[in-house]
Amino acid sequence: MSERKASHGRQRLAILGSTGSIGGSTLDVVARHPERFEVVTLTAHRRIDRLFEQCLAFHPRLVVVSGPGDAARLEAQLRSAQLRTEVAHGPAALCAAASADDCDTVVAAIVGAAGLPSSLAAARAGKKILLANKEALVMSGMLFMRTVAECGATLLPLDSEHNAIFQCLGDGGGVERLILTASGGPFLTRALDSLDDITPDQACAHPNWVMGRKISVDSATMMNKGLEVIEARWLFDMPAERIEVVIHPQSVIHSMVAYADQSVLAQMGRPDMRTPIAHALAYPERIDSGVAPLDLTRLAHLSFTAPDLVRFPCLRLALEVLRDGCGASVTLNAANEIAVEAFLQEQIRFTEIAMVVEEVLERLPALAEHHQLDDILAADGRARAMAQQIIHDLPAHRVRQVAIH
Ligand code: NAD
Ligand code: MG
């Protein structure tokens, strides 16, 4: 409400996906600056106990969860703790929270396609959006960027590469290329013939970053970098041929911008998401993020190599989708979400993630134009169903089901 703003002058935040890795890092930064930020809304899918702890610490006006049972349980917990936080549930409540008048800034940190409607609702409401939910932009790039422009929203990237590029972009133009760095994940040098045996826990053990399980698997397949090049294409309105990916296993340089005069600007820092989060929260000012200083004298060396598209077929597929105009980006994202979930549930092998995505891309036509949310969600649904069917029909899937039971 306006009186909240008037009485404190603080930035009022809605943090969507507050119980996740990005949500937790955001609250860590926010807690360091109580004079600057006020948490108005928190949302979560299932981790109700974590959400309750966050309510105790931040006293939001509203929380949103997915199901009615969780909402009732959380409401009881809140009342017994004498908290007046309102509880709502379901996708419509999430969109209402993202566009409510009593928040200025929406941190879009839900994972996957589930975050698209609320991220878009924030754009429609003209909010300042701190976007971590890259899948939303991959799915709806043109619609999202048009909505941001038409509705006077402000879009600031939280993804470390895009935040780095944003920091390296000047006002004067002359940008020649964007160079996204990639760590290469945990399997950069693992023997190719052993990739079949990778377990979900191995795939989620990223060498440099601590993240949610879906993005951790995406980093291991490098689909994450593929989604990020598409994200960069829309965020910075950059054609495919001027976006480059380079493997940089140390994750010190988070991305670069090359200019016409061959100056290359890089942003460096520790691999800790609190740096880009603090940057975007305070932009254009700079605030303490809680991250330790980068000690350059302790960096042995920084190395850079071209990505191997045979080792990382998911990156190849994403680059093909980008090259062909992003008409298949909804399909790419949806098939990947289903395949990654099946891998995490030990229904398919690590190497079958790329196979499933490729098969879905081959079977479904790319969308010529998908300017409306309904078209995008329909294409998303078709790709999910197709991916599920392909997984179901995999011979290894059946064998493994038999072996388990
Ligand atoms: P996470 O799995 O740790 O957290 C996801 C959050 O989304 C949780 O709060 C969960 O409750 C919520 N959520 C999940 N499914 C939902 C649903 N169906 N409806 C409503 N809410 C739902 O994920 P994360 O690692 O924090 O990643 C979040 C987003 O940020 C992803 O899009 C990811 O690609 C992006 N990102 C993450 C990192 C990182 O370091 N973790 C870095 C860059 C970008
Ligand atoms: Mg990233």
Coordinates of all heavy atoms in Angstrom, one line a residue, residues 132 134 158-162 180-181 209 211 215 219 224-225 228 231 254-255 273, ligand 2:
A132 N 15.5 -14.2 -12.6 CA 16.4 -15.4 -12.5 C 15.8 -16.5 -13.4 O 16.5 -17.3 -14.0 CB 16.5 -15.9 -11.1
K134 N 15.1 -17.9 -16.2 CA 15.5 -17.8 -17.6 C 14.5 -18.5 -18.5 O 14.3 -18.2 -19.6 CB 16.9 -18.3 -17.8 CG 17.1 -19.8 -17.6 CD 18.6 -20.1 -17.5 CE 19.2 -19.9 -16.2 NZ 20.6 -20.1 -16.0
L158 N 19.3 -11.4 -13.3 CA 20.1 -11.9 -12.2 C 21.0 -13.0 -12.6 O 22.0 -13.3 -11.9 CB 19.1 -12.5 -11.1 CG 18.2 -11.6 -10.3 CD1 17.5 -12.3 -9.2 CD2 19.1 -10.4 -9.7
D159 N 20.7 -13.7 -13.7 CA 21.6 -14.8 -14.2 C 23.0 -14.2 -14.2 O 23.2 -13.1 -14.8 CB 21.1 -15.2 -15.5 CG 21.3 -16.7 -15.8 OD1 22.1 -17.3 -15.0 OD2 20.8 -17.3 -16.7
S160 N 24.0 -14.8 -13.7 CA 25.3 -14.2 -13.5 C 25.9 -13.7 -14.8 O 26.5 -12.7 -14.9 CB 26.3 -15.1 -12.8 OG 26.4 -16.3 -13.5
E161 N 25.7 -14.5 -15.9 CA 26.3 -14.1 -17.2 C 25.6 -12.9 -17.7 O 26.3 -12.0 -18.2 CB 26.1 -15.3 -18.2 CG 26.8 -16.6 -17.9 CD 26.1 -17.4 -16.8 OE1 25.1 -17.0 -16.3 OE2 26.7 -18.4 -16.4
H162 N 24.3 -12.8 -17.6 CA 23.6 -11.7 -18.2 C 23.8 -10.5 -17.3 O 23.8 -9.3 -17.8 CB 22.1 -12.1 -18.4 CG 22.0 -13.4 -19.1 ND1 22.3 -14.6 -18.6 CD2 21.7 -13.6 -20.4 CE1 22.2 -15.5 -19.5 NE2 21.8 -14.9 -20.6
L180 N 29.6 -15.3 -23.6 CA 29.1 -15.9 -22.3 C 30.1 -17.0 -21.9 O 30.5 -17.9 -22.7 CB 27.7 -16.6 -22.6 CG 26.5 -15.7 -22.4 CD1 26.3 -14.9 -23.7 CD2 25.3 -16.6 -22.2
T181 N 30.5 -16.9 -20.7 CA 31.4 -18.0 -20.2 C 30.6 -19.1 -19.6 O 29.4 -18.9 -19.1 CB 32.4 -17.4 -19.1 OG1 31.6 -16.7 -18.1 CG2 33.4 -16.5 -19.7
W209 N 29.3 -23.8 -8.3 CA 28.1 -23.1 -7.9 C 27.2 -24.1 -7.1 O 27.1 -25.3 -7.4 CB 27.3 -22.6 -9.1 CG 27.9 -21.6 -10.0 CD1 28.7 -21.9 -11.1 CD2 27.9 -20.2 -9.9 NE1 29.1 -20.8 -11.7 CE2 28.6 -19.7 -11.0 CE3 27.3 -19.3 -9.0 CZ2 28.8 -18.3 -11.2 CZ3 27.5 -18.0 -9.2 CH2 28.2 -17.5 -10.3
M211 N 23.3 -24.7 -6.5 CA 22.1 -24.3 -7.1 C 21.0 -25.4 -6.9 O 21.2 -26.5 -6.5 CB 22.3 -24.1 -8.6 CG 23.5 -23.3 -9.0 SD 23.8 -23.2 -10.8 CE 24.5 -24.8 -11.1
I215 N 18.6 -26.7 -12.4 CA 19.6 -26.0 -13.1 C 21.0 -26.6 -13.0 O 21.8 -26.5 -13.8 CB 19.7 -24.5 -12.6 CG1 20.7 -23.7 -13.4 CG2 19.9 -24.3 -11.2 CD1 20.8 -22.2 -13.1
S219 N 23.3 -27.5 -16.0 CA 24.7 -27.1 -16.1 C 25.6 -28.3 -16.5 O 26.5 -28.2 -17.3 CB 25.2 -26.5 -14.8 OG 24.5 -25.4 -14.5
N224 N 21.9 -25.5 -19.8 CA 21.8 -24.2 -19.1 C 22.5 -23.1 -20.0 O 21.9 -22.1 -20.2 CB 22.5 -24.3 -17.8 CG 22.4 -23.0 -17.0 OD1 21.3 -22.4 -16.9 ND2 23.5 -22.4 -16.6
K225 N 23.6 -23.4 -20.6 CA 24.3 -22.4 -21.4 C 23.4 -22.2 -22.7 O 23.3 -21.1 -23.2 CB 25.7 -22.8 -21.8 CG 26.7 -21.7 -22.0 CD 26.7 -20.6 -20.9 CE 26.9 -21.2 -19.5 NZ 26.9 -20.1 -18.5
E228 N 20.8 -20.0 -21.9 CA 21.3 -18.6 -21.6 C 21.6 -17.9 -22.9 O 21.5 -16.7 -22.9 CB 22.5 -18.7 -20.7 CG 22.2 -19.1 -19.3 CD 23.3 -19.2 -18.3 OE1 24.5 -19.0 -18.8 OE2 23.1 -19.4 -17.1
E231 N 18.3 -16.6 -23.9 CA 18.0 -15.6 -22.9 C 18.7 -14.3 -23.4 O 18.1 -13.2 -23.4 CB 18.4 -16.0 -21.5 CG 18.1 -15.0 -20.4 CD 18.7 -15.4 -19.0 OE1 19.4 -16.4 -18.9 OE2 18.3 -14.7 -18.1
H254 N 32.5 -13.8 -15.4 CA 31.1 -14.3 -15.5 C 30.5 -14.0 -16.9 O 29.5 -14.6 -17.2 CB 30.3 -13.7 -14.4 CG 30.8 -14.1 -13.1 ND1 31.0 -15.4 -12.7 CD2 31.3 -13.4 -12.0 CE1 31.5 -15.5 -11.5 NE2 31.7 -14.3 -11.1
S255 N 31.1 -13.2 -17.7 CA 30.8 -13.0 -19.1 C 31.5 -11.7 -19.6 O 32.1 -11.0 -18.8 CB 29.4 -13.0 -19.4 OG 28.9 -14.3 -19.5
M273 N 25.9 -16.1 -6.2 CA 24.8 -15.3 -6.8 C 24.5 -14.1 -6.0 O 23.7 -13.2 -6.6 CB 23.6 -16.2 -7.0 CG 23.8 -17.3 -8.0 SD 24.2 -16.6 -9.6 CE 22.7 -15.7 -10.1
Ligands
MG2 MG 23.9 -18.5 -15.5

